[in-house]
Amino acid sequence: FGSMQGGSIALDMGGAVEDLEMARPGYGKAVATDLSKMNPLARCVISMDKKVLSIIVLFFYSILFLLGMKTSGIAACVLLICAAMLAFSVWLARWVIARDEGTDKMIQVSNAIRDGAEGYFTTQYGTIGRMSIILTVVIYITYMFRRVTPEQEEAGMSPGVLAFLTSLSFLLGAFCSAVAGYVGMWVSVRANVRVAGSARRSASEALQVALRAGGFSAMVVVGMTVLGVCSLFSAFYVFFGVSQGTVNIDQIPLLLVGYGFGASFVALFAQLGGGIYTKAADVGADLVGKVEQNIPEDDPRNPAVIADLVGDNVGDCAARGADLFESIAAEIISAMILGGTMAKKSNISNPIGFIMFPLVVHSLDLVVSAAGILSVSGSASASQSSYDIMKKGYSVSIFLAAVGFVITCRTLLYTEAAPGAWMYFSMCGFVGIACSYAFVFISQYYTDYKYSPVRRIADASATGHGTNIIAGVAVGMEATAMPVLVISAAVTAAYHLGKMSGLSDADGNPTGGLFGTAVACMGMLSTAAYVLTMDIFGPIADNAGGIVEMSDEPESVRAITDELDAVGNTTKATTKGYAIGSAALAAFLLFSAYMDEVSAFQGSLFNTVDIAIPEVWIGGLLGSMLVFLFSAWACAAVGNSAQDVVIEVRRQFSEKPGIMTYQEMPDYARCVSIVAASALREMKKPGLLAVGAPIAVGVTFRFYGSLTGQEMLGAKVVAGMIMFATVTGILMALFLNTAGGAWDNAKKYVELGAHGGKNSEAHKASVTGDTVGDPFKDTAGPSIHVLIKMLATITLVMAPLFLD
């Protein structure tokens, strides 16, 4: 693309115009290390002297380790493992950054993507940060006038103390979630060009660079989740003098719900904003470029191509990092609450093992996932794809996780009151691990073009656009069946295995059922870091393919990145299936934790939700409606933004006919600016709906219950709302994720030569299906994962508002 060699790209982010000069000899590598466009906090950290930075990190980590030692040896071990695995992630980053960046043309494109992603991220998270501060004030004021539980009152926990600690926890969770998202984006915008450069040498090296780049992000995300929760738990343990008997240890996990809410809040807006950005750019680029102009994907003549490539990073990498962060945080906190409650009911003298168990499992997750990442080698061939190679690493992680799970159960969950309980909980963990593997396979079956569902959509493309859409919708609906059966079997088996553990209360009633489901959830997430590694591999490979296409590399190089890109589509779809499965189990745990918290405040048992009560049924109906309305607004946001991109791309092709003959330079920055502004504007409405709806319903029915003499009506209606929203959200997310992924890979299958290949009528129909599926699989679907968990965490934080 000769015109690029003298051009300039202006990236406008929130009014700040930044010029990226193109392709002076040797200039690309200099820009690659330029910190001027980086997030200010990250720029400060990276610019700092390494010795000074090391001393600061060591100082703060020493404080955390001392807090861990005062809490228990278990907490200290968890913090040590986190430190070791974060050091391993730094090694992975150094290994990736040391790879060659390829040609000057590759570096030019990569720099444009990097600047667009950095600029959008800074603006987006500035907006989220301001909303977080406002919500922190709301939480503080709410807690200042809320009730305290009898146990908290007895321990001297005043509303003022709880208000401060919950607000602090919320801010810490929000900050850590933002860092997790930034890390995902930071590595992807630096790894993409290195994968492209590696593809010029071998497929094996390109695969390894992309996977290890994803591994760095995954290690940081999971490591920070465990580190944050463990540090906060240890700080509260020491602050309230649990070891002196001032406060019961089972009360400490309840103080962590603010952390989970903060993580969910940031993840929701990150997922919405990133999803709207990436899919608006993708849809606009495809509709005009592929369908109207008949140019290839990622063609440098397409004015929206840079915006599309930027979107892969802010949508798939940053948003997914924040998503998995809050998912793991919510699961850990809910499991700790249930572990403490069960130990108290079962009269276990030292419940620290049951409470710390989730943290130990996820520190184990870091170790086994690291082993899986290091075990991956080789390149695709006729007998095995890159996905098959990565699945071997996943199998290594699964096996090590199963072994480690048994050892952890025997070490932490053994109790004299029920000597065989640890074996039953180990089996609960195996149920979760099996559930995880089943979800990975089911997702692959419905989204990989090796299997019949995707090929059915491709076959339908041969007869037109309408039949392609019908086939895709049918596949998405069908794909809800098997995951629901798997979740149902897993919850039932884990619950009854937990009940059989031998733990019981003073009246002889089994108490281990709910904790059994918590252990199953931990089993499912015991390889979360490796699954996230495979997920982030996808957008990195996609970006590498775009860089190769735009820098005019030979077909042999493009063939390598095309194969990695197709595999990346499958890994992204697989991770979304895995994420919704874990979200379903985590939401079930959070719902149980909500009922426990209401019981603690009321001083009476609250363990059933009666939908025969009209108001509770209405709450359920509102919960189901919320999922549909949220999804509608998320998809509409993509459509509105994409229309602006389509109009702009058409305008440029019309006013600059030399673009098609490589005589004129497209205005990439104009499309980047349009998509960024639109995404930031459109993410607010569905996000505020998700935050405000449960509070409005709970408070409204609380006062309605007071007027009609119905005790605890607010809490009961909110429970019905959460229950129905969770069930509806699981089904909706499964449908949206799978249908979108299947449409995408049906298009890839046609592009490989099926039904006439590229530019055929079948190809145009498959592009239409892929366009419809884009907001399904990358905006609305993943956002629902966060929605159903955030509904639970926000009700945990705001529960006192719903009580009489």
Side-chain angles (χ1 to χ4, degrees), residues 537-791:
F537 166 92
I540 292 173
D542 191 356
N543 258 212
I547 291 171
V548 167
E549 179 73 31
M550 291 190 71
S551 54
D552 197 27
E553 289 296 311
E555 278 299 316
S556 59
V557 179
R558 181 70 203 191
I560 291 173
T561 56
D562 276 349
E563 197 269 342
L564 294 179
D565 186 15
V567 168
N569 283 333
T570 302
T571 60
K572 286 190 290 184
T574 297
T575 307
K576 286 164 189 165
Y578 176 87
I580 192 57
S582 63
L585 292 178
F588 179 74
L589 300 183
L590 288 165
F591 180 73
S592 303
Y594 167 74
M595 299 182 80
D596 281 347
E597 185 175 18
V598 172
S599 299
F601 275 105
Q602 286 296 112
S604 59
L605 192 62
F606 177 52
N607 59 1
T608 56
V609 180
D610 187 358
I611 61 171
I613 299 171
E615 291 84 358
V616 176
W617 183 82
I618 290 169
L621 194 61
L622 291 171
S624 296
M625 176 274 291
L626 173 64
V627 173
F628 277 86
L629 185 59
F630 177 86
S631 302
W633 285 359
C635 289
V638 174
N640 295 337
S641 302
Q643 288 176 35
D644 295 339
V645 178
V646 167
I647 292 169
E648 173 60 23
V649 174
R650 284 175 177 167
R651 182 193 68 78
Q652 291 197 35
F653 278 125
S654 174
E655 296 179 4
K656 297 182 177 182
I659 289 176
M660 289 300 293
T661 58
Y662 297 94
Q663 300 304 310
E664 291 185 83
M665 184 81 172
D667 187 355
Y668 300 120
R670 177 65 181 157
C671 289
V672 170
S673 179
I674 288 172
V675 178
S678 184
L680 291 170
R681 181 181 66 250
E682 296 284 351
M683 75 177 185
K684 294 176 183 176
K685 189 167 74 168
L688 293 175
L689 171 71
V691 175
I695 298 175
V697 168
V699 172
T700 300
F701 279 96
R702 169 195 171 180
F703 287 110
Y704 180 78
S706 298
L707 291 173
T708 57
Q710 298 181 73
E711 187 182 0
M712 293 177 58
L713 185 63
K716 292 176 181 177
V717 171
V718 168
M721 184 182 190
I722 298 172
M723 183 186 295
F724 279 66
T726 300
V727 171
T728 306
I730 291 167
L731 294 172
M732 179 67 85
L734 285 170
F735 164 69
L736 295 174
N737 290 341
T738 309
W743 267 317
D744 193 353
N745 271 348
K747 179 197 70 175
K748 294 286 184 188
Y749 181 60
V750 172
E751 288 176 345
L752 290 175
H755 304 292
K758 292 182 179 180
N759 299 323
S760 64
E761 290 302 313
H763 182 233
K764 291 180 180 179
S766 70
V767 171
T768 299
D770 179 40
T771 303
V772 173
D774 276 340
F776 281 24
K777 68 181 175 64
D778 288 320
T779 307
S783 296
I784 293 174
H785 305 169
V786 187
L787 172 70
I788 62 177
K789 287 169 289 186
M790 200 192 73
L791 289 175

Side-chain angles (χ1 to χ4, degrees), residues 277-296:
Y277 187 114
T278 184
K279 290 304 109 179
D282 195 2
V283 169
D286 282 356
L287 285 179
V288 183
K290 286 184 177 180
V291 177
E292 296 180 10
Q293 299 294 331
N294 288 320
I295 59 178

Side-chain angles (χ1 to χ4, degrees), residues 405-445:
F405 214 91
V406 173
I407 296 171
T408 305
C409 285
R410 177 62 181 83
T411 305
L412 299 183
L413 304 185
Y414 177 83
T415 173
E416 294 293 340
W422 70 271
M423 290 187 285
Y424 286 96
F425 289 129
S426 296
M427 287 188 278
C428 292
F430 292 151
V431 167
I433 291 172
C435 183
S436 168
Y437 207 87
F439 261 92
V440 169
F441 175 76
I442 292 167
S443 299
Q444 182 187 8
Y445 174 74

